[in-house]
Amino acid sequence: MKNVILGLLLLAGAVACNQSQKDSKKELSGKMPKIVFADKGVYDFGDLTEGDTIARQFKFKNEGEFPLIINNIQASCGCTTPEWPKTPIEPGQESSIKVLFNSQGKRGVQNKTVTVYANTDPAYTELAFRVMVNPRPDSSSVSSAK
């Protein structure tokens, strides 16, 4: 009988400890760094001519209670280059990610993404943009128009 009571007490203690861990994780999760971008949805650069490079500062704020650390950023193609802060972003602080798009060799509608990996929950956030790349006017037609 002592063994049964001891087993029940150990089981109750384990359940209480597990619930306490779940509560702690939930409380901690609510305080995690939270990256909130000013731009919502897909940013539209509009039209540009093939060969041009454009840039955009995607502004964000850390709305969590711990410092935000951006670990890495990956672009969907080599035509897109991100630049980001390498130092922690304190709670309430604002910063930005610079995204450069080089349209060389691109034509038509371009839909690109930039994935931001940070110490957030979830562990990544995606930025998306589109741009319409118009062909560069043919130099032979320009010289014949003169």
Side-chain angles (χ1 to χ4, degrees):
M1 183 69 169
K2 282 184 179 179
N3 286 342
V4 171
I5 293 173
L6 182 60
L8 288 173
L9 286 174
L10 286 173
L11 180 61
V15 168
C17 182
N18 190 24
Q19 184 61 41
S20 175
Q21 286 177 339
K22 285 181 183 178
D23 291 345
S24 293
K25 284 182 182 179
K26 186 176 180 181
E27 183 179 321
L28 186 60
S29 177
K31 295 181 179 184
M32 292 290 292
K34 185 175 181 183
I35 191 167
V36 178
F37 285 92
D39 293 317
K40 304 294 183 202
V42 178
Y43 181 79
D44 191 345
F45 277 108
D47 289 14
L48 68 110
T49 303
E50 180 184 357
D52 291 347
T53 299
I54 52 175
R56 169 85 178 159
Q57 294 281 353
F58 288 90
K59 295 180 181 179
F60 66 88
K61 183 176 183 179
N62 177 6
E63 293 188 0
E65 295 184 30
F66 291 109
L68 169 71
I69 300 169
I70 297 175
N71 303 315
N72 192 22
I73 296 183
Q74 288 184 325
S76 60
C77 78
C79 59
T80 304
T81 307
E83 296 175 8
W84 66 93
K86 306 298 192 258
T87 57
I89 312 304
E90 295 299 322
Q93 186 179 357
E94 295 180 357
S95 190
S96 64
I97 295 169
K98 182 178 182 180
V99 175
L100 292 112
F101 172 74
N102 183 344
S103 67
Q104 185 66 43
K106 305 288 183 192
R107 286 192 180 170
V109 176
Q110 302 292 311
N111 292 295
K112 305 297 178 188
T113 58
V114 176
T115 306
V116 180
Y117 296 93
N119 62 335
T120 55
D121 185 22
Y124 68 91
T125 306
E126 286 192 339
L127 296 172
F129 68 88
R130 71 174 296 283
V131 60
M132 176 63 183
V133 181
N134 298 310
R136 184 165 298 284
D138 186 20
S139 59
S140 63
S141 64
V142 171
S143 58
S144 65
K146 289 183 180 179

